Amino acid sequence: MKPITKEVYLKWYEDMLFWRKFEDKLAALYIQQKIRGFLHLYNGQEAVLAGALHAMDLSKDKMITAYRNHVQPIGMGVDPRRVMAELLGKVTGTSKGLGGSMHIFSKEHGFYGGHGIVGAQIPVGAGIAFADKYFETGGVTLTYFGDGAARQGSLHEAFNMAMNWKLPVVFICENNGYAMGTSVERTANHTDIWKLGLGYEMPCGPVDGMNPVKVAEAMNEAIERARRGDGPTFLEMKTYRYRGHSMSDAQLYRSKEEVEEYKKIDPITQVLDIIKEKQYATDSEIEAIDNRVVDLVNECEKFAEESEFPDLNIMYDVVYDQENYPFLPHKL
Ligand SMILES: Cc1ncc(C[n+]2csc(CCOP(=O)(O)OP(=O)(O)O)c2C)c(N)n1
Ligand SMILES: [Mg+2]
């Protein structure tokens, strides 16, 4: 694995802080009704992404996830201003403003969405891995889903085929304790989701998803296994989300004390503590990072606000394949 140097810790701190503040800004814009529809935020789960990115080869590896999908593409190199513009429905967005919160996508950056149907992306991720194997690209696909999605039948079909064909895929369950409001304890008679891999003889195990070092180590092993042709791995990341399932969640299913308990092992704080302990940065250097993060979030907001909404006719351009189906009424 690439060593976890001072630079890595500083990057983790800046990236995770940016993702957190980016999501906080989205929450504020949602309350102002500048973002409509659903909005699912990633606060608390950042280490799962930071650790994975450290282990990935971004020149060929890919990622696919569910609807909690704003910051992953940013981590993979998509311009955050375009992600924010997408959320505001602007034409400068990653899907020209037509996808919105649950559908961030950038094939160019290896980010395959953004899926609103719970569990639907699991076989799609296996399919992307199939293409990589078929075309011998050497790429590995990280396929993310939640603890709620782990109870879907699509998981079992995808696990079986991925093992049978030894596909270069890593399945990652982000167990944040709850589906919409249903705790893991209430969805099955066992709480060790990683054990679902055992039925397929898939290498599997639990990981401390609040610690980017632990995530990077587990992901590195899984990615290496997939890259050398030994097939999939299933990792259960034990993590937590601080905010509600979506913006309209009264959170009656958990106590404020529980949320505060998890904040004691906050991934950003853990990384900052190491930076301070090992004297990787002075107080003023940390302050400079904090300021940079706030400036970039503000820049994203300004870009998104100042961008135009798409022309209404754009919807006909993207729904139909005009070249192959010219008879469809794509221009009314
Ligand atoms: C097939 C399907 N069933 C139900 C829903 C409604 N729904 C949206 S999110 C969700 C909970 C999923 O929870 P989890 O997989 O743990 O992901 P998290 O939101 O915690 O990240 C449900 C039931 C849906 N979108 N699709
Ligand atoms: Mg969940």
Side-chain angles (χ1 to χ4, degrees):
M1 185 170 77
K2 282 176 282 179
I4 301 176
T5 57
K6 163 186 160 182
E7 286 71 30
V8 172
Y9 274 104
L10 290 172
K11 180 173 165 43
W12 275 345
Y13 175 66
E14 183 158 355
D15 283 354
M16 293 198 292
L17 189 67
F18 176 66
W19 302 335
R20 174 93 44 104
K21 300 277 178 206
F22 187 90
E23 296 284 56
D24 287 344
K25 176 63 79 181
L26 297 184
L29 291 168
Y30 191 88
I31 290 162
Q32 295 169 42
Q33 297 195 336
K34 287 178 178 165
I35 296 174
R36 304 292 183 117
F38 291 107
L39 188 74
H40 311 88
L41 305 177
Y42 204 60
N43 301 35
Q45 301 184 208
E46 295 89 351
V48 180
L49 177 60
L53 288 169
H54 182 72
M56 290 173 80
D57 178 345
L58 289 181
S59 71
K60 53 189 170 191
D61 293 342
K62 301 166 185 75
M63 192 183 283
I64 183 168
T65 187
Y67 40 78
R68 212 172 286 289
N69 73 143
H70 312 140
V71 296
Q72 295 88 341
I74 295 172
M76 291 189 74
V78 176
D79 183 345
R81 296 175 310 162
R82 295 193 57 216
V83 176
M84 190 146 332
E86 185 60 37
L87 281 138
L88 269 73
K90 300 298 182 76
V91 73
T92 50
T94 41
S95 297
K96 299 183 180 169
L98 302 175
S101 163
M102 297 199 282
H103 306 291
I104 310 296
F105 206 97
S106 178
K107 188 180 171 197
E108 187 194 339
H109 293 89
F111 185 73
Y112 288 78
H115 296 263
I117 306 300
V118 169
Q121 77 280 11
I122 308 173
V124 179
I128 297 167
F130 180 90
D132 273 325
K133 184 171 174 140
Y134 188 83
F135 292 114
E136 297 177 357
T137 66
V140 175
T141 301
L142 273 58
T143 301
Y144 284 90
F145 49 90
D147 45 279
R151 309 307 182 194
Q152 292 288 68
S154 55
L155 173 138
H156 295 276
E157 297 175 40
F159 273 24
N160 184 55
M161 290 170 99
M163 266 317 272
N164 202 17
W165 292 335
K166 296 283 178 288
L167 300 181
V169 56
V170 185
F171 295 110
I172 305 137
C173 177
E174 290 185 85
N175 180 358
N176 57 16
Y178 300 92
M180 286 175 86
T182 311
S183 67
V184 171
E185 290 76 19
R186 291 178 62 204
T187 59
N189 72 336
H190 72 97
T191 51
D192 288 323
I193 295 173
W194 62 270
K195 288 182 180 167
L196 293 178
L198 296 176
Y200 299 91
E201 299 185 352
M202 190 185 295
C204 53
V207 181
D208 174 359
M210 300 301 269
N211 182 337
V213 179
K214 299 282 177 217
V215 175
E217 286 168 356
M219 286 301 312
N220 182 64
E221 195 187 323
I223 290 172
E224 290 292 298
R225 177 178 297 120
R227 221 188 290 289
R228 62 172 185 261
D230 289 343
T233 303
F234 177 35
L235 301 173
E236 179 194 348
M237 300 285 168
K238 307 261 189 201
T239 181
Y240 198 75
R241 71 168 147 72
Y242 298 152
R243 287 182 173 271
H245 166 73
S246 69
M247 289 297 288
S248 54
D249 177 0
Q251 302 181 53
L252 302 176
Y253 49 86
R254 65 180 181 186
S255 65
K256 287 203 172 71
E257 291 73 34
E258 181 183 296
V259 182
E260 290 313 310
E261 266 312 297
Y262 275 95
K263 286 189 177 171
K264 290 182 189 159
I265 51 164
D266 181 82
I268 302 177
T269 314
Q270 284 196 49
V271 165
L272 184 59
D273 284 349
I274 291 170
I275 289 173
K276 286 184 175 164
E277 189 188 304
K278 300 206 169 176
Q279 299 183 331
Y280 285 160
T282 62
D283 286 349
S284 65
E285 283 163 345
I286 294 167
E287 204 184 314
I289 296 176
D290 296 351
N291 291 337
R292 222 166 30 232
V293 162
V294 173
D295 288 349
L296 184 54
V297 172
N298 290 337
E299 201 185 313
C300 293
E301 182 186 15
K302 188 168 183 288
F303 175 83
E305 292 263 23
E306 288 175 356
S307 294
E308 299 291 330
F309 284 109
D311 184 89
L312 266 190
N313 277 322
I314 195 179
M315 69 174 107
Y316 299 110
D317 294 341
V318 294
V319 172
Y320 298 129
D321 179 346
Q322 295 172 33
E323 221 169 273
N324 294 311
Y325 303 99
F327 49 88
L328 287 174
H330 55 266
K331 288 262 188 262
L332 293 182

